Amino acid sequence: MHLADLRGRSVAVWGTGREGVAAVTAVAAHGPASLVAVDDRTNFLSLPWEGPIARAAPLVTGDDGLARLVAADVVIRSPGVPQTHPWMVELRKRGIPVTQGTALWMADHAARTVGVTGSKGKSTTSSLTSHLLNAVERPNLFGGNIGVPTLELPEADLYVLELSSYQCSDLTDSPHVAVVTALFPEHLDAHGGEREYYRDKLNLIAHDPATVVVNGTDPRLIAELGDRPVVRAGLPDTTHVDVGPDGTPWFYLVGRPLFPRAVLPLVGRHNESNLCVALAVLDALGVDVVARKDTLAVAVAEFQGLAHRLTEIVDPSGLTFVDDTLATSPYAAMHAIDAYDGRPLTVIVGGADRGLDYGPLRDHLAEREITVIGIPDSGSRIVEALAGLPGVRSEVVEDLTAAVHQARRLTPPDGVVLLSPAAPSYGRYRNFEHRSEAFLEAIAQTANGHPTVVRSASNAV
């Protein structure tokens, strides 16, 4: 479905956050027969509905919204509306078409788009891809799941988009290059279960993309793909890491060395995989990666790590505090823990309890020496899941400040205190940024008056 297809039709936009505003603005310009906005709940994401936007689409709230949705020819839902919402069930039962702004946008821009999704790594991989393309004179516009609705993006010759599972779920056109970085259970409450989440996530590649690039070292992702022909970054027949000419790890394209692993300033094996995927995308777009390897090496070295993803806070005590607040699942926390393998480590876990299975985290820590501090709400359940592991010292405290205070007491001066919660922030914090602010405040409050210095993980060694 294209935006132009909405001309003369009855359209309901469900959701009044930024995505809803962008959808109303875009649809109104295409002459619908009628246009209404629906918000079944008012919360901090809702924007004031007044002025031109309210004149273009009158707002209906509360239970009256369902009647307006079922009366529409087409419903455009915001990504925050879950697949499991009772109204979604009713709309499906009645056969009413439901789409999203990203799906409408993609119908007109797919041929110029690199779309990146994944349970882990999509933000870093998409931003790396955009950064490297700019370095080799392939200008592009970076957007998607980063706060700017796709329907507000200006025209460009090439787009690189980070796409969430929510945005992928309603696509009927795949991007020219479709990228998947990792796959593990996440957001199950919004999608309806593990199988439904995988289905919605992999809908990105379901509509004939020219090329599919995936992280070939992710076993769950490879199992889901079966025998589908894809570029499997990380394996010897494409971009991968191997022993280089100097005996240290290097990035390669097939058998040709590119540059040392040490050029990449991001810590962790998962970030090696992210760069392998980004380089494979450039190769798929026709960039001569080998010929441009020196330019790419400089660009990789200059890449700045993203906020709230292994962001390091250097403390005068000698401890390194790490903000990885966006690690909202046990699998994401496992990647973060691996990034600091070999250093004394205290990890702070816990947040909104979605009933996730923390068995995989237990298995991952079975042979490790590590301290785990749990905070509400799910911290006690995570600590309980780790009970009995011989190398795991664990306890539960009342809040994040208490966790930082205890971590200072328990972690050796050259160690790492990692906030990698394995749970979302909502409930006790406005959002993940608020949880990061609280972490920084707790570090400052417990630092005995000495200043701390925040540095991006892109500068970590």
Side-chain angles (χ1 to χ4, degrees):
M1 184 181 296
H2 300 257
L3 275 168
D5 297 330
L6 301 178
R7 184 178 302 277
R9 305 181 76 179
S10 171
V11 179
V13 172
W14 186 2
T16 57
R18 289 202 61 180
E19 290 278 350
V21 171
V24 165
T25 303
V27 173
H30 285 79
S34 65
L35 180 59
V36 66
V38 172
D39 196 347
D40 61 302
R41 59 192 177 92
T42 302
N43 59 28
F44 65 94
L45 292 174
S46 301
L47 299 176
W49 206 259
E50 55 195 16
I53 197 73
R55 291 192 291 273
L59 177 62
V60 178
T61 59
D63 293 339
D64 293 338
L66 178 58
R68 301 306 297 267
L69 293 177
V70 299
D73 296 325
V74 178
V75 172
I76 302 172
R77 69 179 177 117
S78 295
V81 176
Q83 292 279 14
T84 52
H85 194 293
W87 292 4
M88 280 292 294
V89 176
E90 183 66 21
L91 291 171
R92 284 194 291 265
K93 185 170 69 175
R94 293 177 181 239
I96 296 172
V98 179
T99 187
Q100 280 187 62
T102 298
L104 293 167
W105 182 93
M106 192 70 75
D108 292 318
H109 298 85
R112 291 177 276 160
T113 300
V114 175
V116 183
T117 195
S119 304
K120 174 74 174 176
K122 62 182 179 291
S123 300
T124 298
T125 301
S126 57
S127 57
L128 250 176
T129 300
S130 175
H131 175 72
L132 296 182
L133 284 168
N134 283 324
V136 294
E137 298 84 41
R138 294 289 296 274
N140 63 91
L141 190 61
F142 180 45
N145 187 41
I146 57 169
V148 179
T150 50
L151 288 174
E152 291 182 354
L153 295 176
E155 285 299 309
D157 293 331
L158 179 63
Y159 300 89
V160 178
L161 301 186
E162 175 198 337
L163 298 171
S164 70
S165 57
Y166 310 118
Q167 291 171 307
C168 291
S169 61
D170 290 327
L171 294 178
T172 53
D173 300 86
S174 290
H176 181 72
V177 179
V179 182
V180 188
T181 60
L183 202 62
F184 52 74
E186 179 68 299
H187 305 303
L188 304 188
D189 51 342
H191 291 272
E194 185 171 344
R195 297 311 315 164
E196 291 79 6
Y197 168 69
Y198 294 162
R199 174 202 65 203
D200 290 347
K201 197 73 158 171
L202 295 178
N203 190 48
L204 179 75
I205 66 174
H207 307 285
D208 299 319
T211 306
V212 177
V213 179
V214 303
N215 174 9
T217 66
D218 186 290
R220 186 178 284 101
L221 174 56
I222 296 306
E224 289 292 325
L225 293 171
D227 58 0
R228 177 177 181 137
V230 299
V231 178
R232 301 187 180 194
L235 301 185
D237 61 346
T238 178
T239 50
H240 65 285
V241 176
D242 203 347
V243 178
D246 59 0
T248 67
W250 277 53
F251 288 96
Y252 280 78
L253 175 58
V254 193
R256 293 163 290 180
L258 300 176
F259 43 79
R261 163 56 176 100
V263 168
L264 176 65
L266 306 185
V267 299
R269 290 284 182 88
H270 63 292
N271 279 318
E272 293 178 11
S273 296
N274 292 338
L275 180 53
C276 284
V277 171
L279 292 169
V281 171
L282 266 65
D283 185 51
L285 289 172
V287 175
D288 190 336
V289 173
V290 175
R292 304 302 303 273
K293 62 183 181 181
D294 292 340
T295 298
L296 290 169
V298 172
V300 168
E302 292 174 345
F303 180 72
Q304 297 296 307
L306 302 178
H308 316 296
R309 296 167 177 85
L310 296 179
T311 300
E312 296 192 348
I313 303 107
V314 180
D315 190 76
S317 66
L319 292 173
T320 299
F321 288 88
V322 182
D323 175 11
D324 194 42
T325 191
L326 282 174
T328 58
S329 77
Y331 298 91
M334 286 152 53
H335 284 299
I337 289 167
D338 286 348
Y340 292 94
D341 190 30
R343 294 185 64 180
L345 180 62
T346 297
V347 60
I348 300 171
V349 298
D353 195 342
R354 297 177 294 170
L356 294 178
D357 176 16
Y358 288 101
L361 180 61
R362 176 186 174 86
D363 295 341
H364 195 70
L365 299 182
E367 305 298 326
R368 293 178 182 260
E369 297 284 339
I370 190 171
T371 299
V372 178
I373 300 176
I375 59 175
D377 293 319
S378 60
S380 58
R381 196 163 64 81
I382 298 173
V383 166
E384 183 179 345
L386 303 179
L389 293 180
V392 176
R393 184 200 184 286
S394 61
E395 62 181 277
V396 178
V397 297
E398 65 271 21
D399 57 28
L400 187 53
T401 300
V404 171
H405 178 80
Q406 191 70 336
R408 284 190 180 279
R409 190 177 70 82
L410 298 174
T411 312
D414 60 341
V416 175
V417 178
L418 170 65
L419 173 64
S420 195
S425 57
Y426 54 78
R428 292 178 178 264
Y429 300 97
R430 293 187 303 274
N431 47 38
F432 65 87
E433 292 97 341
H434 186 202
R435 182 161 62 183
S436 289
E437 292 169 8
F439 186 48
L440 282 172
E441 290 173 3
I443 294 169
Q445 289 174 13
T446 59
N448 297 321
H450 298 290
T452 56
V453 179
V454 180
R455 69 177 184 183
S456 167
S458 64
N459 298 318
V461 295

